[in-house]
Each structure stands twice: as C-alpha cells, then as structure tokens.
Amino acid sequence: MKTFLTTTALVALAFPAMAEIKIGASLSSTGPAAFLGDPELKTLEMLVEDLNAKGGINGEEIVLVAYDDNGDPNKARTFATRLVEDDEVVAIIGGTTTGTTMSILAVAEDAEIPFISLAGAIDIIQPVKPFTFKTPHTDRMACQKIFEDMQKAGITKIGMISGTDGFGASMQAQCKEVAPDYAIEILADETYDPKDADMTAQLTKIKGTEGVQAILNPGFGQGPSIVTRNYKQLAIDLPFYQSHGVASDGFIELAGADAAEGVRLPGTALLVADLLAADDPQKPVVDAYKAMFEEKTGTPVGTFGGYAHDAFLIMTDAITRAGSAEPAAIRDAIEATSGLAGTTGIYTFTPEDHLGLDLSAFRMLEIKGGKWTLVQ
C-alpha cells in the first residue's frame, strides 16, 4: 500500500512548525483605565512582533494571548483563570490597576504561574509572594520621593486630597505612614470618589486650613486632572504634588497645560528621555523604546506603556537565561535578575524583593510650559 502526502504535509515535514511560548495578558485596554491599558497592550503587541521577527527566544515564537478586562477585577479573575486553564500560558503580564492585579495575583499564585504586575500598590509585592513581581515603583516609594522634595523646600505641613480607588487609598495610607520619617505633618486629609466631577469643596477646606504649606494628591485616572483644574480655579498659591499614577502626557492634556503648570511628581526616565545624560545607563533602552513606540503608533510614548515594556523585557530575559519555558524555571530566573536596565529603572530582584527598584529610579519632575522637566 502506498502512502501519499499532500503538498502541505510535505512542506510541514521540510519546515517543522516553530515551537511556541504562550504569554498571557489581562489589561484594561478599554474602560476608565484605558489611558493606562491601551498603551500597555500596544507595547506588548509591538514587542512580541519585533522579537518574533528576530527569531523569537531560542528559536521559539512568542504568542501573546491578551484579554481586555475593562478595569473590572471580576473580569480580570475570569480571564486569568482562562489564561491558565484553557490557554495554558506559561506566564502572565498585566493587572493595569491595583484592583485587577489583586484578582490576577490570586489565580497566578494558586496555579504557580509567574506574574508581572503593571500596577502601583505596595500590597502587590509586600509581603513577598513567590510567583508575583511588578515593574512600577510602589506608592510608598512615591510618597518618600515627594517628601524628600518637600524637605528640601522646607515644607513640613501639608494637606492631602486622595482618590478612594485602590491606588489612591493605598498611597494615602502609605503617605500617612512615612510622613513622620520626613517630619511632615498632615493637617488636612480629604478624599474624593474617582467618578466625582468636582472637588472644589474638598480643596476649599484644605485652602482654609491654617498652616498648610503644600498639597498632595494621591490618585490616578481622570480624578487628579479634575483636582488640578479645580486647584487652578480656586487660585490656590501653594506647591502642588501629584503621584506617579498620572505621569503621562495625557494628564497634562486632561488637566490643561495652564492648570498643570508647576505641578511636581515622581516619574520615570521615559518622560524626560531627551534630557538624560549621554552616559545614563537607562538612556539606550529608553531611546529605543520611545523611537519604536512612536513610529509604530504615531502617539507619544508614556510611563504606562513603559511598565509593560519592562515586564516583557524581564520576562523574556528570564526565559532566555533559564533556557526553559517551564513556569517554575521562569520564576526562578526572574528572581535572579540583576542589573537589568528598563525604562522605569534598573531591576535587581531577590527572594526578599520582587520589585527590584529603589528611590534612585524615580526622577522628580515638574511641568513647565506643558512639558516635563527635571527638578535639579
């Protein structure tokens, strides 16, 4: 009996299909956190395409399986479960917000799948969880960087107006905890719902509080932009600090360049790429990502896409060093990452530290003339 092979089968025998490494993602590419999640998704898609064009990892093609959780923690949990059980990914990147991250984290830890979060809250990595890492600085670090700057300016008494979302509430708590370390006294402590359209009442209370020398707004999303506009409308003549949760050109656009003038916040090297020294160890990676993203999308690069860039860099670097796409091997290799320069900072993980960044990775920035500038 003769066996006949079709042309397709003959081609398949001559050129075996490239092996695949499946990486999952659950991102908030639509919904209230889309200004974060959309550039994250575009970044991952771009980097996967670029890496595969170069031959993948050790000859294996990267397949990105991405879902849009719309910023909903329940959807994020569902998609994380689907990524693990149905799509059989070897690792997950995502969690645009703290809320969605905590849902994904629970699934990833239970399944022992390495997970790199793109959200800010310190609770994500403290206490350390075996399979969970993250790329953004923590909210606690943001408080410390801001208070360092206040110390230099002789500011000792402040008012806070914080969002009640997961990130805002977490940073509010962290700032309260570390304030005494910098001899900072919080005289006024106001909050707002992320869906509120006006925060003048809270700001008026802070403005009327005797002794307040500066105002700090822990929060992310559209809320801080509204707070900034209201701050301008009330003609408050005090230094105004925001969190790294709004470190993007989108914040300046939403708030308006005039209202945002003089706002200070801790941010990443990515926002001031053109101002970096030639010998800055982050400059090559920052310049390369900025050029690739802006050419590919036609839009300005931002901090949040940078978080996804760094997560993908850390993940693929770990897989390459491990020489394996087994989840446990990837996890071990991530934890052994040392001196890896990303757009957010230079990462060195340890069993006790699943963030891998210190305060030196933050740059204190000030908005001048609608542009980001470095505070010297």
Side-chain angles (χ1 to χ4, degrees), residues 239-256:
F240 190 28
Y241 290 82
Q242 292 281 358
S243 79
H244 60 312
V246 297
S248 73
D249 289 344
F251 166 71
I252 300 176
E253 292 171 9
L254 283 171

Side-chain angles (χ1 to χ4, degrees), residues 134-269:
K134 80 186 199 77
T135 53
H137 310 81
T138 67
D139 43 12
R140 188 183 188 89
M141 292 169 71
C143 296
Q144 292 169 325
K145 192 71 175 183
I146 290 168
F147 290 157
E148 276 187 0
D149 193 68
M150 288 182 176
Q151 265 192 333
K152 292 175 184 176
I155 295 169
T156 59
K157 301 179 188 300
I158 70 168
M160 284 207 306
I161 176 168
S162 312
T164 55
D165 55 274
F167 175 84
S170 177
M171 184 169 171
Q172 178 198 41
Q174 293 302 317
C175 285
K176 286 181 178 180
E177 191 170 316
V178 301
D181 298 340
Y182 296 86
I184 301 274
E185 186 179 356
I186 300 169
L187 300 183
D189 185 20
E190 299 290 326
T191 61
Y192 60 88
D193 187 278
K195 296 178 182 178
D196 288 350
D198 185 275
M199 291 77 160
T200 53
Q202 297 96 314
L203 285 169
T204 299
K205 286 183 183 178
I206 295 173
K207 182 181 180 181
T209 301
E210 187 177 351
V212 170
Q213 298 169 296
I215 298 178
L216 168 59
N217 177 201
F220 90 107
Q222 295 186 3
S225 298
I226 297 171
V227 172
T228 302
R229 291 198 298 270
N230 292 160
Y231 183 91
K232 177 69 175 178
Q233 291 161 1
L234 292 170
I236 299 175
D237 187 23
L238 294 171
F240 190 28
Y241 290 82
Q242 292 281 358
S243 79
H244 60 312
V246 297
S248 73
D249 289 344
F251 166 71
I252 300 176
E253 292 171 9
L254 283 171
D258 186 46
E261 182 72 14
V263 168
R264 287 192 175 191
L265 56 81
T268 69

Side-chain angles (χ1 to χ4, degrees), residues 32 55 63 89 154 215 227 266 290 310 323:
V63 174
V89 301
I215 298 178
V227 172
K290 176 179 169 66
D310 290 0

Side-chain angles (χ1 to χ4, degrees), residues 40-336:
E40 291 169 354
L41 177 60
K42 288 175 179 173
T43 293
L44 291 180
E45 290 175 337
M46 176 186 75
L47 294 176
V48 168
E49 181 182 348
D50 180 67
L51 185 56
N52 285 337
K54 295 174 180 175
I57 299 178
N58 301 326
E60 294 186 271
E61 183 179 40
I62 300 296
V63 174
L64 177 67
V65 183
Y67 294 105
D68 173 17
D69 57 40
N70 198 240
D72 184 335
N74 291 324
K75 288 183 180 178
R77 183 184 296 272
T78 298
F79 290 141
T81 301
R82 186 181 300 175
L83 286 169
V84 171
E85 296 181 357
D86 299 338
D87 301 313
E88 298 181 338
V89 301
V90 298
I92 299 174
I93 293 172
T96 297
T97 69
T98 296
T100 56
T101 284
M102 299 310 286
S103 291
I104 299 166
L105 181 160
V107 175
E109 287 294 331
D110 187 56
E112 299 187 344
I113 296 289
F115 168 48
I116 302 182
S117 168
L118 311 180
I122 194 170
D123 293 346
I124 297 164
I125 45 87
Q126 284 191 13
V128 171
K129 300 155 190 73
F131 284 81
T132 300
F133 304 81
K134 80 186 199 77
T135 53
H137 310 81
T138 67
D139 43 12
R140 188 183 188 89
M141 292 169 71
C143 296
Q144 292 169 325
K145 192 71 175 183
I146 290 168
F147 290 157
E148 276 187 0
D149 193 68
M150 288 182 176
Q151 265 192 333
K152 292 175 184 176
I155 295 169
T156 59
K157 301 179 188 300
I158 70 168
M160 284 207 306
I161 176 168
S162 312
T164 55
D165 55 274
F167 175 84
S170 177
M171 184 169 171
Q172 178 198 41
Q174 293 302 317
C175 285
K176 286 181 178 180
E177 191 170 316
V178 301
D181 298 340
Y182 296 86
I184 301 274
E185 186 179 356
I186 300 169
L187 300 183
D189 185 20
E190 299 290 326
T191 61
Y192 60 88
D193 187 278
K195 296 178 182 178
D196 288 350
D198 185 275
M199 291 77 160
T200 53
Q202 297 96 314
L203 285 169
T204 299
K205 286 183 183 178
I206 295 173
K207 182 181 180 181
T209 301
E210 187 177 351
V212 170
Q213 298 169 296
I215 298 178
L216 168 59
N217 177 201
F220 90 107
Q222 295 186 3
S225 298
I226 297 171
V227 172
T228 302
R229 291 198 298 270
N230 292 160
Y231 183 91
K232 177 69 175 178
Q233 291 161 1
L234 292 170
I236 299 175
D237 187 23
L238 294 171
F240 190 28
Y241 290 82
Q242 292 281 358
S243 79
H244 60 312
V246 297
S248 73
D249 289 344
F251 166 71
I252 300 176
E253 292 171 9
L254 283 171
D258 186 46
E261 182 72 14
V263 168
R264 287 192 175 191
L265 56 81
T268 69
L270 194 57
L271 289 180
V272 286
D274 297 341
L275 303 179
L276 298 179
D279 61 352
D280 190 307
Q282 286 183 254
K283 188 169 178 59
V285 67
V286 165
D287 286 348
Y289 170 58
K290 176 179 169 66
M292 183 187 293
F293 184 88
E294 293 182 350
E295 180 181 352
K296 184 76 173 178
T297 67
T299 57
V301 75
T303 300
F304 310 109
Y307 294 155
H309 169 282
D310 290 0
F312 188 75
L313 174 66
I314 291 164
M315 192 73 77
T316 53
D317 172 72
I319 295 171
T320 301
R321 284 186 289 105
S324 168
E326 289 299 316
I330 298 171
R331 190 222 78 91
D332 291 347
I334 293 174
E335 195 172 75

